[in-house]
Amino acid sequence: MGDQKVKRSEDKGKGVSPVREMPPPDDESTVSLLRELVNHLRKNRTQLREEWARRITAAKLLGAMSSEEMFAEATSVYDNYVEVLETGAVEALQAYARDLSERIIPRGVETDEVVGIVLLLRDVLARSLFAKYQTDFQLLNRILDAYEPAANRIANTVAVGFVQERERIIRQQQEAIRELSTPVLQVRERLLILPIIGVIDSQRARQLTEQLLRGIRTNRAKVVVIDITGVAAMDATVANHLVQTVEASRLLGATVIVTGLSPEIAQTLVTIGVDLGKMNTVGDLQGGIEEAERLLGYKVTPFSEVSQQPI
Amino acid sequence: MEVPILKQGLYLIASIQAALSDVDLVHLRDALAEKVGKFRARGVIVDVTVLDVMDSFASRTLRDLAHMTRLRGAETVIVGIQPEVAFAMVQLGLTLEGVDTALDLEEGLAFLDKKTKRHTSRG
């Protein structure tokens, strides 16, 4: 919570005091003003909600949802919004924002859309207040004084809730990637393959190296094929780590063949100035395994060719 | 602590039993270089399985040892480097370049068999 930056950048410069500094609506006049405001919003619920939905569609927000879904979602956001204005308690809204984010993030709704719709609602409601109180400028001012901080706080809460949910998902996925075991597989006597897929950071690289070196020892491997076809890019640190892995494997008496280097990774390796004499690389996994078999003295012959030979 | 050097056919096997001081390492190097000539050995195996640390002096001495024996007509292979030691070594930049390595004693013997046979068959 309390991430003012999110809010402030969205603040339309209406001279509102920062969100955090807003006092709870204990002031007698503020409470009565908010009550009046809420009554107004309740009374015009249908009309304002429709206006809002129309604006959302016009702004091409929430394109991932059907119009019925959008309308249903808009209704509950509206009701929550009014309720927070009335009670000043954001906890319920926080929970709702979390719940909403959980539902809509998998549908591909973006942060700017969520912030956008909340700001649109704020705008729609502000306009209706203007329309209602335009004759009494003093009252309009006081109404807005009460309304703006509360509205800002709501927008802040929803945006922060959404971003937090996103971050939670990202963290969860990072965890999942990290836990994806990277198998060290024996394909023939003395031949291991290590297929690496996904993003490698230095932590995962370290884990991979440990697994590989242990695998070499337990399987008594002489040749290891590390296939990095599934790795799109690696930074210099990880590339260096790969080179170190190759050297460490050699110290254990195993030859490493690296296969499936993408052009980007090749570029990285050249840029950091890897001694290519130490790196045995082959284009693809098939070539790598063939090379490994050659090193181990295997010769794979199709069965038909074998049976044709006179015995 | 003295490292026992065993003669096994055409090969000499130095089996390190405990952590070695720098002086011990130098002794080992000199003893092997000398015995290679004395026994007309074709290969040398240095077993470092028990070492759980390999510093720059040790790896340099082993590299010198390998080069010295090669000049005296015997191939050297270092066997039994532990995975953790291997990784620590490369991180320190100690890669034993130009020195052959093998997983363990058995692999080292097989390696030497192959290497010396190739040399003899070439004549």
Side-chain angles (χ1 to χ4, degrees):
Chain A
M1 273 307 301
D3 205 344
Q4 282 188 38
K5 269 184 265 161
V6 178
K7 177 67 216 82
R8 286 227 207 155
S9 57
E10 307 299 333
D11 208 328
K12 288 183 174 169
K14 287 181 181 172
V16 186
S17 63
V19 182
R20 286 279 278 290
E21 286 160 30
M22 192 201 85
D26 51 2
D27 186 56
E28 198 48 50
S29 65
T30 315
V31 170
S32 66
L33 282 174
L34 275 176
R35 198 172 301 133
E36 188 178 336
L37 188 69
V38 166
N39 284 338
H40 169 67
L41 298 181
R42 288 245 160 87
K43 210 164 72 198
N44 298 295
R45 179 169 178 258
T46 317
Q47 180 214 334
L48 288 172
R49 202 181 48 191
E50 268 160 20
E51 165 68 8
W52 183 36
R54 203 179 51 69
R55 295 269 311 264
I56 293 176
T57 321
K60 295 196 167 55
L61 294 172
L62 298 183
M65 297 168 110
S66 71
S67 56
E68 292 83 29
E69 278 178 313
M70 202 256 294
F71 197 72
E73 229 35 284
T75 306
S76 60
V77 171
Y78 186 94
D79 291 343
N80 269 286
Y81 200 98
V82 175
E83 200 180 313
V84 174
L85 280 180
E86 186 177 27
T87 60
V90 287
E91 286 78 17
L93 184 69
Q94 272 173 5
Y96 175 73
R98 234 190 339 262
D99 179 57
L100 176 70
S101 311
E102 222 167 277
R103 271 180 289 132
I104 62 179
I105 288 175
R107 317 269 314 253
V109 176
E110 298 294 335
T111 317
D112 63 306
E113 292 185 284
V114 170
V115 176
I117 62 164
V118 177
L119 290 178
L120 273 180
L121 177 59
R122 184 180 182 280
D123 190 45
V124 167
L125 300 188
R127 270 164 205 271
S128 103
L129 294 177
F130 274 119
K132 183 166 187 238
Y133 297 106
Q134 58 187 338
T135 50
D136 187 344
F137 192 68
Q138 292 282 322
L139 181 59
L140 174 63
N141 247 344
R142 290 199 350 257
I143 288 272
L144 285 182
D145 277 348
Y147 169 71
E148 290 282 351
N152 284 345
R153 194 151 62 135
I154 294 171
N156 190 17
T157 306
V158 172
V160 167
F162 189 82
V163 171
Q164 278 177 342
E165 177 64 16
R166 279 227 126 144
E167 281 168 1
R168 195 186 62 78
I169 291 176
I170 292 172
R171 268 198 304 277
Q172 202 178 7
Q173 286 174 343
Q174 275 176 339
E175 200 77 354
I177 291 174
R178 194 152 297 145
E179 281 174 11
L180 270 184
S181 66
T182 310
V184 179
L185 306 167
Q186 175 157 346
V187 283
R188 280 192 206 299
E189 193 90 339
R190 308 258 151 135
L191 170 56
L192 295 181
I193 56 171
L194 177 71
I196 305 178
I197 291 171
V199 181
I200 321 184
D201 54 13
S202 31
Q203 194 195 341
R204 188 165 175 230
R206 211 187 158 79
Q207 192 187 330
L208 278 174
T209 307
E210 280 169 19
Q211 279 185 359
L212 177 64
L213 295 181
R214 229 173 292 138
I216 289 174
R217 197 154 184 92
T218 46
N219 294 298
R220 302 177 60 80
K222 290 218 56 103
V223 183
V224 179
V225 179
I226 300 181
D227 180 59
I228 54 171
T229 314
V231 181
M234 52 171 75
D235 60 14
T237 320
V238 176
N240 259 319
H241 198 97
L242 178 69
V243 177
Q244 289 182 342
T245 306
V246 172
E247 287 173 355
S249 306
R250 192 188 74 85
L251 289 178
L252 292 187
T255 309
V256 175
I257 300 170
V258 183
T259 66
L261 282 101
S262 67
E264 290 78 21
I265 294 177
Q267 171 100 57
T268 309
L269 290 178
V270 171
T271 311
I272 65 170
V274 173
D275 183 354
L276 292 171
K278 288 184 207 156
M279 288 273 275
N280 196 350
T281 56
V282 179
D284 56 7
L285 182 59
Q286 181 186 351
I289 291 180
E290 283 165 5
E291 169 72 5
E293 283 167 343
R294 201 183 58 73
L295 287 175
L296 288 168
Y298 287 109
K299 184 165 180 277
V300 180
T301 319
F303 187 67
S304 54
E305 282 180 27
V306 178
S307 55
Q308 275 166 18
Q309 285 169 3
I311 301 165
Chain B
M1 189 188 142
E2 191 104 346
V3 177
I5 298 172
L6 316 170
K7 182 173 177 299
Q8 153 72 43
L10 287 171
Y11 311 136
L12 295 177
I13 301 172
S15 172
I16 296 173
Q17 304 293 324
L20 294 182
S21 69
D22 291 356
V23 179
D24 296 331
L25 276 163
V26 173
H27 279 164
L28 174 65
R29 182 193 69 190
D30 295 345
L32 275 171
E34 192 234 312
K35 287 191 178 170
V36 161
K38 187 165 147 198
F39 294 115
R40 306 192 70 242
R42 301 299 310 270
V44 174
I45 295 176
V46 181
D47 185 354
V48 297
T49 309
V50 297
L51 296 187
D52 49 17
V53 63
M54 183 95 79
D55 60 12
S56 59
F57 185 84
S59 54
R60 198 173 67 236
T61 311
L62 289 178
R63 196 192 56 203
D64 292 352
L65 160 66
H67 292 171
M68 283 163 74
T69 59
R70 186 173 301 147
L71 291 173
R72 285 174 59 78
E75 290 296 333
T76 292
V77 55
I78 311 291
V79 304
I81 299 176
Q82 300 293 332
E84 304 78 43
V85 178
F87 197 63
M89 284 171 70
V90 294
Q91 283 193 317
L92 295 171
L94 313 171
T95 54
L96 288 178
E97 264 168 72
V99 181
D100 293 310
T101 48
L103 189 68
D104 53 19
L105 188 58
E106 191 181 349
E107 290 294 317
L109 284 168
F111 172 85
L112 286 179
D113 280 343
K114 215 162 119 190
K115 191 138 185 174
T116 51
K117 194 160 70 191
R118 194 157 57 202
H119 278 266
T120 38
S121 63
R122 267 190 206 152

